[in-house]
Amino acid sequence: MSDIALAVSGLGRAFGEMWAVRGLDLEVQRGEIFGLVGPDGAGKTTTMRMLTGILAASEGQATVAGFSIHDDAEAIKARISYMSQRFGLYGDLTVEENLRFYADLYEVPRRDREPLEEKLLGFSNLTPFRKRQARNLSGGMKQKLGLACALIHKPEILFLDEPTNGVDPVSRRDFWRILYAMLKKGVTIFVSTAYLDEAERCSRVGLMHRGRLIRCDTPQKLKEGLPGQLLELETGQPRDAREALAAQLGSSRVSLFGGMLHLYTEDAAEAEQIRAILQQAGIAVLAEKIITPTLEDVFIHWVTRDDAEAAA
Amino acid sequence: MWERIYRMLVKEFIQVLRDPRMKALIFVMPVIQLIMFGYAVTTDVDHIKTAVCDLDKSPQSRALIERFTASGYFTVVDSTDRPERLGELLDRGQATIGIQINHGFAEDLKSGRQAAIQTIVDGTDSNTGTVAMDYAQRITQEFSRARVGPGELDQLAPPQTEPIELRSRAWFNPDLKSRYFNVPGVIAVVVLLISLLLTAMAIVREREIGTMEQLMVTPIRSFELILGKTLPFVLISFIDVLVVTAIGISWFNVPIHGSLALLLFGAGLYLMSTIGIGLFISTISQTQQQALMSSFFFYLPAVLLSGFMFPISNMPEPAQWLTYLNPLRYFLVIIRDIFLKGSGWDILWPQFAALAVLGTALLTMSSLRFKKRMA
């Protein structure tokens, strides 16, 4: 068994004239948890669908678990699991029936089934609800049931498309607890998410924008790789300060975090310029420090820059 | 493989039986349709609303009117002395036919002159109008024959009796009951609607709620998926055939002269076509609304161009060609002939062959279109 779970080169998909994904190069190691982040419409779902063999790629190559998505899509399907954005549960079937139906489709042997079922239900705290119809579950429980269904055949690679969208924090924590447990067992996880705190938990993160992968690294390196410095300013009038700065530097450079202002500065001269602008506006700077950027800062920075380049 | 198909089947049945609306659609709707066609939709014409204006008021005129009412086809709803009143009643739709007997009717009859009566018929419903006129003519003819003895015939001009007398007998349905003709037809139409709609909707619903995407990433094979999604509806359709047939025979006393086994075999071939079309509709629809609209877009012309209500031979030629593509056309012949004529394989094989060809073609085409991939 090779150490590479996913190898993608030059992958692309066009819908008519529009390229939803283009020129995607990526490699994911076995046992890794890889996070795909990007704004809506970046091409995350299209990428997932191509890799899981349900959407034909227009160009490029990819192997998943060692099989080509072009020639061996069905072999891939037996080895992976895919939880789509709206995981398709049968609302009129009970928790147990949903789980069993997927076990049947994957032809999980009968004798393995029961202990596995118990374990997955216990894991996701769904045991008390096993006789409940899926449509009567809460959003978080539905997602956990979806995950349980996706895990019933012990996949090598787990694809999750925004699995915790609209899920309460407690269920989200449960959900990630299960993911980590799977990771320990050597399952490779490929997850797309809109929550950047979740991206922080991934071993590597790919940032997608307008159909391309614009950055891909560990969360730590991504943050370090942000050029310049992130300046945090505390002023008495954060809103006025923001407006004054935005008018001069462009609104995308300034963001408000609570009462604090976050600003990118390319160099010391720019930091000087900022102080000058505020002074001119008659706003006093109470405190000023250089902070480590969060993934959100990184995300906003690269997406804005990519947009600016596209506009130019 | 069979295990997977079986599981899909079980799942589908659980879903259908858990949904009260679905259950009603599958098991109550066919019965309601049957009852509607058995009782309400009848092309038999009787109790025609009749208005009478008898200006003669003679025993002879009363005897003629008596003939009309005694036939059972005409019911007098109004008698009047004003001829204009007949027109009014027809205008308001209170009468379908008006009969006017002028003063001097009895005189004319006695003196051997030709006596005339006038009938006015509301032709809005052309079928009823024609039938009413036909009945009126026959009753008047019989009346005149009875009034005028055979010896007096020669004195009358024009002669009121024909050299050739036509004596008709209707075979297979001696009383010409439209119910006997309709009930087997309803079975064919109900099965078409149920199998078409269920197949198309069941697949599109999975697409809508997102389970189709989920099914596509499982190792299930295309044909397993297709069989798993269609076999349940084949079974349900067979149950409907049996239920409706049983009610038709036991409640409406429709005779079944032929072999039930042959009928079920024909239903099987017929279902290949209807399920094939349902599957095809599911491949071109993204939402249940689209599937529903497409189903009716097929269903209505299919029923109209099948001979279910309007004979194919009456249609313009291009429409007749179209009917050759209509599975309902063949199954209607099969089911009506088996019910009423007791026909067997030796006579019906061309219909069976046509259904087999049509069904195979439709199923193959739809299955090829049905991919385990997204568009």
Side-chain angles (χ1 to χ4, degrees):
Chain A
M1 215 199 279
S2 135
D3 286 343
I4 292 164
L6 267 175
V8 182
S9 74
L11 196 67
R13 165 76 198 202
F15 292 101
E17 292 286 292
M18 246 283 290
W19 285 87
V21 173
R22 192 151 207 197
L24 194 72
D25 295 309
L26 185 68
E27 209 162 84
V28 176
Q29 305 291 314
R30 276 194 191 272
E32 197 181 352
I33 177 162
F34 186 91
L36 201 58
V37 297
D40 285 343
K44 298 181 303 249
T45 300
T46 306
T47 305
M48 290 261 181
R49 285 178 174 169
M50 283 193 284
L51 294 178
T52 50
I54 55 172
L55 185 69
S58 309
E59 59 174 36
Q61 295 296 325
T63 56
V64 177
F67 295 95
S68 156
I69 57 164
H70 295 294
D71 311 322
D72 286 317
E74 295 306 307
I76 293 175
K77 287 174 186 175
R79 289 168 177 81
I80 62 158
S81 238
Y82 169 48
M83 208 180 135
S84 61
Q85 221 165 44
R86 268 184 324 145
F87 183 84
L89 289 167
Y90 294 97
D92 41 7
L93 297 188
T94 63
V95 167
E96 216 169 48
E97 285 165 342
N98 269 291
L99 207 53
R100 271 184 206 150
F101 180 62
Y102 281 101
D104 286 324
L105 289 186
Y106 284 101
E107 298 181 316
V108 178
R110 298 249 157 209
R111 58 196 151 72
D112 299 0
R113 197 175 288 187
E114 233 167 85
L116 196 59
E117 238 178 67
E118 292 306 322
K119 208 175 81 183
L120 284 170
L121 286 179
F123 233 32
S124 42
N125 297 327
L126 283 172
T127 315
F129 308 105
R130 60 192 310 159
K131 299 278 181 212
R132 192 181 279 194
Q133 291 189 17
R135 62 166 152 232
N136 299 326
L137 295 176
S138 73
M141 287 200 276
K142 273 184 192 152
Q143 288 307 94
K144 284 191 284 182
L145 175 57
L147 184 61
C149 289
L151 292 173
I152 191 91
H153 67 289
K154 300 183 180 161
E156 291 172 28
I157 308 172
L158 184 57
F159 289 88
L160 304 164
D161 193 3
E162 305 205 357
T164 54
N165 224 352
V167 168
D168 68 277
V170 178
S171 295
R172 254 173 81 189
R173 210 177 51 204
D174 277 354
F175 199 91
W176 276 88
R177 195 167 41 74
I178 303 172
L179 290 190
Y180 276 124
M182 286 299 124
L183 211 54
K184 262 189 203 146
K185 287 190 181 161
V187 177
T188 311
I189 299 174
F190 189 92
V191 56
S192 80
T193 179
Y195 296 109
L196 290 146
D197 60 314
E198 287 186 351
E200 300 259 12
R201 305 180 190 216
C202 296
S203 51
R204 280 197 306 144
V205 175
L207 177 55
M208 260 193 117
H209 187 45
R210 296 190 296 116
R212 287 170 311 112
L213 194 66
I214 53 176
R215 279 288 173 283
C216 179
D217 218 326
T218 63
Q220 191 53 39
K221 287 214 176 113
L222 276 177
K223 286 184 243 174
E224 286 166 5
L226 202 64
Q229 285 169 329
L230 189 66
L231 209 59
E232 188 181 76
L233 297 175
E234 193 187 340
T235 63
Q237 307 115 285
R239 278 171 203 289
D240 297 339
R242 186 194 134 99
E243 260 168 49
L245 289 167
Q248 298 274 334
L249 302 169
S251 61
S252 62
R253 298 270 305 274
V254 198
S255 33
L256 205 56
F257 279 82
M260 307 292 193
L261 282 170
H262 283 193
L263 278 142
Y264 293 108
T265 55
E266 307 256 327
D267 44 41
E270 218 176 30
E272 205 51 54
Q273 193 194 348
I274 288 164
R275 284 184 208 105
I277 293 168
L278 287 177
Q279 207 164 17
Q280 226 167 21
I283 297 165
V285 177
L286 305 176
E288 174 189 324
K289 64 178 172 188
I290 289 163
I291 56 165
T292 359
T294 62
L295 264 187
E296 186 163 339
D297 297 314
V298 176
F299 177 85
I300 291 169
H301 175 81
W302 290 117
V303 165
T304 329
R305 203 162 110 174
D306 198 49
D307 275 338
E309 275 168 19
Chain B
M1 178 195 118
W2 290 111
E3 175 72 14
R4 269 198 204 130
I5 296 172
Y6 172 69
R7 286 293 149 191
M8 290 278 299
L9 212 134
V10 169
K11 183 215 89 187
E12 216 64 48
F13 270 106
I14 293 177
Q15 288 186 297
V16 165
L17 296 179
R18 231 169 239 174
D19 184 349
R21 273 169 304 182
M22 208 59 176
K23 254 195 295 198
L25 179 74
I26 292 171
F27 299 112
V28 180
M29 189 204 73
V31 175
I32 291 178
Q33 283 223 3
L34 180 68
I35 289 172
M36 256 166 44
F37 275 94
Y39 281 119
V41 183
T42 162
T43 44
D44 303 343
V45 179
D46 46 20
H47 300 292
I48 302 161
K49 286 182 284 180
T50 311
V52 176
C53 175
D54 181 3
L55 300 174
D56 198 46
K57 291 190 178 28
S58 60
Q60 283 82 358
S61 67
R62 278 194 293 273
L64 176 61
I65 292 161
E66 168 66 21
R67 286 243 168 183
F68 269 86
T69 50
S71 70
Y73 297 126
F74 297 92
T75 305
V76 175
V77 291
D78 204 327
S79 295
T80 174
D81 293 335
R82 294 184 300 118
E84 317 87 68
R85 173 87 179 138
L86 291 183
E88 288 167 22
L89 288 168
L90 249 65
D91 280 347
R92 292 201 202 118
Q94 286 166 348
T96 309
I97 187 167
I99 301 172
Q100 185 179 340
I101 303 175
N102 281 332
H103 190 69
F105 177 74
E107 272 311 302
D108 285 345
L109 276 182
K110 270 181 215 156
S111 56
R113 282 192 300 271
Q114 189 180 9
I117 65 166
Q118 190 189 8
T119 57
I120 321 163
V121 172
D122 178 357
T124 319
D125 173 356
S126 56
N127 180 47
T128 309
T130 315
V131 174
M133 279 202 293
D134 196 43
Y135 286 157
Q137 200 153 17
R138 264 170 36 200
I139 289 166
T140 320
Q141 259 169 24
E142 275 169 30
F143 177 78
S144 78
R145 237 180 264 149
R147 295 297 307 173
V148 185
E152 299 165 68
L153 257 182
D154 302 338
Q155 305 163 11
L156 286 171
Q160 304 247 323
T161 173
E162 298 77 24
I164 301 171
E165 195 193 32
L166 179 69
R167 287 196 177 176
S168 324
R169 262 185 71 202
W171 276 19
F172 310 123
N173 185 359
D175 301 332
L176 291 175
K177 282 193 188 164
S178 59
R179 181 183 291 170
Y180 286 2
F181 184 66
N182 278 336
V183 167
V186 171
I187 300 175
V189 170
V190 162
V191 167
L192 170 66
L193 188 62
I194 292 270
S195 57
L196 182 72
L197 220 50
L198 285 183
T199 310
M201 298 291 265
I203 294 172
V204 176
R205 189 176 54 233
E206 294 230 19
R207 192 166 293 147
E208 251 184 19
I209 60 175
T211 47
M212 193 47 90
E213 190 175 353
Q214 217 58 56
L215 285 178
M216 285 194 275
V217 287
T218 71
I220 192 169
R221 296 183 198 92
S222 275
F223 79 93
E224 291 171 340
L225 190 53
I226 291 174
L227 279 179
K229 287 302 295 182
T230 53
L231 274 183
F233 308 121
V234 172
L235 289 179
I236 288 172
S237 302
F238 267 118
I239 295 171
D240 274 339
V241 170
L242 289 174
V243 168
V244 178
T245 304
I247 297 176
I249 294 172
S250 62
W251 185 259
F252 289 111
N253 298 319
V254 180
I256 176 158
H257 295 301
S259 142
L260 188 63
L262 194 63
L263 178 65
L264 289 179
F265 176 63
L269 289 180
Y270 174 56
L271 283 171
M272 281 171 59
S273 298
T274 59
I275 298 260
I277 293 162
L279 197 59
F280 178 79
I281 289 172
S282 79
T283 64
I284 57 168
S285 316
Q286 290 302 318
T287 63
Q288 292 191 68
Q289 277 102 322
Q290 286 171 0
L292 194 68
M293 292 300 288
S294 312
S295 296
F296 277 100
F297 188 71
F298 170 81
Y299 173 78
L300 277 180
V303 170
L304 293 178
L305 294 177
S306 66
F308 174 60
M309 306 207 72
F310 315 110
I312 292 174
S313 52
N314 290 2
M315 295 172 192
E317 222 171 287
Q320 289 195 27
W321 296 332
L322 267 180
T323 64
Y324 287 110
L325 292 173
N326 186 355
L328 184 55
R329 171 206 167 113
Y330 303 107
F331 189 57
L332 273 177
V333 173
I334 291 175
I335 196 166
R336 280 174 176 158
D337 282 10
I338 289 179
F339 260 93
L340 299 178
K341 294 188 190 169
S343 309
W345 175 257
D346 50 328
I347 291 176
L348 292 173
W349 69 266
Q351 271 74 29
F352 281 92
L355 278 184
V357 170
L358 211 55
T360 311
L362 283 167
L363 265 186
T364 313
M365 184 187 70
S366 312
S367 302
L368 289 177
R369 270 192 64 91
F370 188 89
K371 295 243 166 55
K372 243 187 93 185
R373 289 222 160 176
M374 309 191 86

